[in-house]
Amino acid sequence: MNPKLSDTYRQITTRLGMFRPQIDLDKYIKGPDPDLRLYDEKSHIRDQLKAYGVAAANTTLDGITFIPNNWTGLLTTLRIAKTLDGEQAFVEGKSPERPAHWALDLSMGATIGKGFREIGRPKISDRPLSMNDLPGRQRRGWSVGYGSQFGKDPEPLDLSALHFAVAPDRVNVHIDETGFLFLDGDGDLVVGPNAGHHIVNELVWKTLLGLPDWMAERMDVIMPNSANDFSRAGVSVDLRKGKTYRVTLTGTCSIRGDFDCSTTVTLSGTHNIWGSK
């Protein structure tokens, strides 16, 4: 199948259209290269590059890889890209215009070529302040820590971030599920509290260890993070996974308060029974 028809390609290119100027990957894709010799790429990625000049992995975390026709032009586009609010969209790893930053450099550890990471910007909620926001206040309702025992939230707070690796012979763009670099009110780059989860699960477990695709795509190492109220650690495994559903086995233990462990099986997905999706 043509990689441009895949869900991975569609999701990433849709997101790239939300910058100004829009980032149109078609402008930078060179095209098929039957003589391609990128032997350090996985065989199915290399085969797609030979046939189409672009390859799409099974997940947005592995993303899109393509042969560039103008890699320096893409560098310029990423450096000037703005958000819809007119803010700088990406931060460049080891940029001469920005002081070295240990977390940014560490996150670029597996990057081939020049790395660019989408910048997160915390936004102030429009919700009025409440007495329930006071520290130690007992609140009724949904418990994030308790709910995290039941697998991945099908509609979590979006903390994801685009990550580009740009080199003369190839470009990869993917979506990190857990972004952790933000700009504070003074415009300084700061590390968010989800850094540990990103480094352990996405950088080490899914990337640097070189695991088989099925293991990297279906298994997650759960570290304390905002999705579980920084209260639990463990693993999750997708037992079955389709385009519209997921069956997940999750095992976690608490790291704060009374010690407990739990194992759950969760079914999540979407439907079109009433024509809503």
Side-chain angles (χ1 to χ4, degrees):
M1 182 181 75
N2 188 329
K4 292 185 178 182
L5 302 178
S6 67
D7 287 342
T8 297
Y9 191 90
R10 176 184 57 80
Q11 291 178 50
I12 290 178
T13 53
T14 297
R15 184 156 174 166
L16 292 174
M18 299 175 67
F19 298 103
R20 295 294 178 268
Q22 294 184 351
I23 302 174
D24 182 3
L25 292 186
D26 284 339
K27 292 173 53 178
Y28 303 101
I29 297 176
K30 180 178 180 180
D33 184 357
D35 299 321
L36 187 75
R37 295 184 179 182
L38 296 178
Y39 297 119
D40 54 338
E41 292 287 351
K42 296 177 180 179
S43 60
H44 67 282
I45 296 296
R46 190 166 60 250
D47 290 342
Q48 291 182 64
L49 291 173
K50 289 181 177 181
Y52 300 99
V54 59
N58 294 329
T59 67
T60 54
L61 182 59
D62 290 323
I64 301 167
T65 302
F66 62 89
I67 306 169
N69 58 16
N70 182 10
W71 79 289
T72 57
L74 180 57
L75 291 177
T76 300
T77 297
L78 295 175
R79 287 166 178 160
I80 66 173
K82 304 292 184 182
T83 66
L84 296 179
D85 296 326
E87 303 286 350
Q88 178 186 352
F90 297 94
V91 60
E92 181 177 352
K94 298 181 179 179
S95 170
E97 299 181 1
R98 179 180 290 273
H101 192 285
W102 69 268
L104 178 63
D105 292 343
L106 179 61
S107 72
M108 301 289 185
T111 299
I112 297 176
K114 292 187 174 293
F116 293 80
R117 184 175 292 280
E118 186 178 2
I119 301 171
R121 289 181 173 82
K123 295 183 178 179
I124 299 176
S125 173
D126 294 331
R127 179 179 64 82
L129 294 176
S130 165
M131 292 296 292
N132 285 332
D133 295 323
L134 292 174
R137 182 82 174 188
Q138 296 296 321
R139 290 171 286 180
R140 296 180 180 179
W142 178 257
S143 167
V144 175
Y146 179 77
S148 68
Q149 300 177 55
F150 297 92
K152 299 178 181 178
D153 185 348
E155 294 185 6
L157 178 66
D158 185 8
L159 296 174
S160 62
L162 283 162
H163 184 179
F164 273 86
V166 185
D169 61 346
R170 81 195 83 174
V171 174
N172 174 268
V173 53
H174 61 270
I175 301 176
D176 288 329
E177 296 173 357
T178 309
F180 65 93
L181 291 176
F182 302 89
L183 287 186
D184 63 15
D186 297 324
D188 296 323
L189 199 63
V190 296
V191 179
N194 290 316
H197 178 75
H198 170 81
I199 291 170
V200 173
N201 185 52
E202 298 181 30
L203 181 60
V204 177
W205 175 255
K206 293 181 177 291
T207 305
L208 297 180
L209 291 183
L211 300 173
D213 286 349
W214 67 268
M215 183 178 293
E217 292 173 7
R218 291 179 176 269
M219 296 183 65
D220 286 273
V221 177
I222 301 173
M223 299 295 291
N225 64 82
S226 57
N228 58 38
D229 202 23
F230 302 96
S231 65
R232 307 190 72 82
V235 296
S236 69
V237 182
D238 291 331
L239 302 178
R240 298 283 295 179
K241 187 177 181 181
K243 289 186 176 182
T244 58
Y245 74 94
R246 174 183 293 166
V247 180
T248 304
L249 173 67
T250 303
T252 61
C253 292
S254 62
I255 63 169
R256 290 195 287 114
D258 295 335
F259 181 78
D260 73 89
C261 293
S262 67
T263 302
T264 60
V265 176
T266 307
L267 172 63
S268 61
T270 58
H271 62 79
N272 196 35
I273 297 176
W274 296 287
S276 59
K277 290 186 179 292

